[in-house]
Amino acid sequence: MTTRRKFLATAGIAGAAALAPPALYAAKPKIRWRMQTYAGPALAEHVIKPAIESFNKIAGDEMQIELYFADQLVPTGELFRALQKGTIDAVQSDDDSMASPTEVTVFGGYFPFASRYSLDVPVLFNQYGLAEIWEKEYAKVGVKHISAGAWDPCHFATKKPINSLDDLKGKRVFTFPTAGRFMSQFGVVPVSLPWEDIEVAVQTGELDGIAWSGITEDYTVGWADVTDYFLTNNISGAWAGSFFANMDRYNALPEHLKELLKVTLDSSHYYRQWWYWGGEAELRVNGSKMKLTTIPDEEWAEVEKAAKVFWDEIAKESETKAKVIQIFKDYGELMEKAGRPYRYS
């Protein structure tokens, strides 16, 4: 296993050459930032690289951002600490994966059933007050929360078919901390590994599956090549992730570069909205690598019911968490009352 992982890491360096970081448009810019994303090279091509290329092209010799992929500078679980210390100037990640010491960390990534569709995430942040809560919480620890956006829904990709809740029992699955904490009550065994080790871990049987993405990422990063089944039931409608910056480095930027940073990173959020939304449908229908399976609605309702209990447990942990949970509840109630196309009963 160790030998294969070392080979994969070495091969990954060669592969990364074809998926190079964004070009720098100035050899000696006045300001140079280093940003690390949670994503590996193939995924970063879509979720961050176009935005950074755009920023660098416009900023020119005023400022350039060097983009690093998953675990290149520091492990993903150490991203927050590196950002806070200024080892890294900016980060693209979810709160949960980078182990942020804030009251909102549990809601990053896939908080069970907090969203039904990807558009729910920007609405919750921009119209329901989550952006202000996140900004306040991160300011307490010396980090600037720039903006949040939606990624893909969370599904299981597995070696063996999942047709019932019983089929989940004992399955060793790579997933996010909070998602794993929630799904463990149904027998799922959450496993934490470096991102680049996942494909090999599935091949060797160290993992039985992955609950880290939707089907678009499964195909993009190669996981569809080592898993055989895709469960259509999802535990969240969209991954919630953000862009963060070291507070001192951010405050030192002139106002026009702050605005440029915001605009180009917002373009990344827009790109992902249509890339994932179209990809999820296209690959379910026309993808040839994984067979779709489904847990019946009446059985999956047990998971949705358990999520409500989980929400109430989280709300008891702090006043801030209770405030976020109440926003989720108010929003969900409004969407249900609004009916189609916002919610389908």
Side-chain angles (χ1 to χ4, degrees), residues 65-96:
I65 298 175
E66 297 175 348
L67 180 65
Y68 294 86
F69 304 131
D71 304 316
Q72 275 195 306
L73 295 179
V74 298
T76 297
E78 297 177 14
L79 277 177
F80 176 84
R81 184 164 52 186
L83 181 65
Q84 189 182 45
K85 290 182 177 180
T87 305
I88 300 174
D89 303 294
V91 163
Q92 179 196 40
S93 179
D94 70 280
D95 319 71
D96 207 18

Side-chain angles (χ1 to χ4, degrees), residues 89-111:
D89 303 294
V91 163
Q92 179 196 40
S93 179
D94 70 280
D95 319 71
D96 207 18
S97 296
M98 70 178 199
S100 301
T102 74
E103 291 296 326
V104 297
T105 296
V106 69
F107 303 112
Y110 293 118
F111 191 71

Side-chain angles (χ1 to χ4, degrees), residues 141-298:
V141 291
V143 168
K144 170 65 178 177
H145 180 261
I146 298 174
S147 63
W151 274 249
D152 47 344
C154 184
H155 294 263
F156 285 84
T158 55
K159 292 292 294 181
K160 295 182 178 179
I162 304 296
N163 294 299
S164 69
L165 290 181
D166 282 342
D167 291 337
L168 290 173
K169 293 179 179 178
K171 295 293 186 295
R172 293 161 297 178
V173 175
F174 172 65
T175 189
F176 294 85
T178 299
R181 173 182 167 186
F182 171 69
M183 290 303 298
S184 63
Q185 65 186 290
F186 298 100
V188 172
V189 180
V191 178
S192 177
L193 289 171
W195 191 90
E196 68 271 15
D197 288 349
I198 304 310
E199 186 172 340
V200 174
V202 173
Q203 289 175 305
T204 61
E206 186 177 356
L207 288 175
D208 299 305
I210 304 160
W212 203 81
S213 69
I215 199 168
T216 304
E217 284 193 19
D218 291 335
Y219 274 76
T220 301
V221 306
W223 292 338
D225 297 322
V226 296
T227 55
D228 299 307
Y229 298 93
F230 179 84
L231 181 64
T232 61
N233 309 80
N234 59 293
I235 65 172
S236 185
W239 188 78
S242 297
F243 291 103
F244 307 89
N246 175 275
M247 186 68 80
D248 291 337
R249 304 288 169 77
Y250 179 82
N251 288 339
L253 294 179
E255 290 303 314
H256 70 286
L257 288 181
K258 291 179 182 177
E259 188 66 19
L260 178 60
L261 189 64
K262 179 182 182 300
V263 169
T264 50
L265 295 184
D266 279 351
S267 74
S268 170
H269 295 317
Y270 171 67
Y271 183 111
R272 281 181 272 98
Q273 283 283 350
W274 59 260
W275 183 65
Y276 277 120
W277 187 257
E280 297 299 304
E282 171 66 24
L283 291 171
R284 281 192 185 204
V285 176
N286 297 317
S288 60
K289 295 181 179 180
M290 292 190 290
K291 182 178 180 180
L292 304 185
T293 65
T294 301
I295 295 175
D297 288 344
E298 58 273 15

